[in-house]
Amino acid sequence: QFFGHDDLGQFTPRVNITETPEKFVVSLRVPGFTKDELKISTEKDTLTVKGEKVSNTANENERFLRREFQASSFSRSFRLPETVKIEGIQAEHVHGVLHVSIPKTEPAKPVSREISIA
């Protein structure tokens, strides 16, 4: 449909999550988004990745017959395990893929002590 309307769904980036002994890596495919249009945050045990792209306006002497390049946004949230070091999270945006590296911490060792009987 050249002039018509196709019900294009909301953009939701696809994700891969990998694990190594040292870290987790969350990779999101975000084509068309620059690193300035992406925001990463943590709150409690949740990692949230948001993207917001603002649409371009038409020139004075042109009009759209069909417009699919519009403002778009997304938000993806992931629950983090207890064994991650939130302050060590790093991110890199390469060729339309956002890689979020989440380092692991040492599991807490149980504290044992001997209790004397009075």
Side-chain angles (χ1 to χ4, degrees):
Q1 296 181 355
F2 186 72
F3 292 105
H5 170 54
D6 295 333
D7 291 325
L8 298 174
Q10 180 181 1
F11 173 73
T12 302
R14 301 295 181 231
V15 64
N16 288 337
I17 301 174
T18 56
E19 180 181 9
T20 67
E22 302 82 30
K23 64 184 174 181
F24 296 98
V25 177
V26 178
S27 299
L28 290 99
R29 183 176 285 167
V30 288
F33 285 84
T34 66
K35 69 178 187 176
D36 296 330
E37 295 167 331
L38 300 168
K39 303 287 181 241
I40 304 168
S41 62
T42 59
E43 184 174 336
K44 296 184 182 178
D45 63 348
T46 303
L47 172 78
T48 302
V49 179
K50 294 181 181 183
E52 186 169 0
K53 185 173 224 20
V54 180
S55 66
N56 297 329
T57 58
N59 292 332
E60 185 177 311
N61 59 349
E62 69 182 4
R63 67 183 180 92
F64 286 101
L65 300 176
R66 183 178 182 113
R67 185 173 187 176
E68 293 181 354
F69 294 6
Q70 301 186 69
S72 60
S73 64
F74 71 88
S75 179
R76 296 279 316 248
S77 294
F78 307 92
R79 188 162 184 206
L80 298 172
E82 293 178 11
T83 58
V84 298
K85 192 183 306 182
I86 290 179
E87 61 277 357
I89 295 175
Q90 296 179 344
E92 181 180 29
H93 184 256
V94 179
H95 303 295
V97 179
L98 177 66
H99 302 280
V100 182
S101 178
I102 307 164
K104 294 181 178 180
T105 61
E106 292 285 325
K109 295 180 181 175
V111 177
S112 62
R113 67 182 184 110
E114 204 169 299
I115 301 169
S116 62
I117 301 171

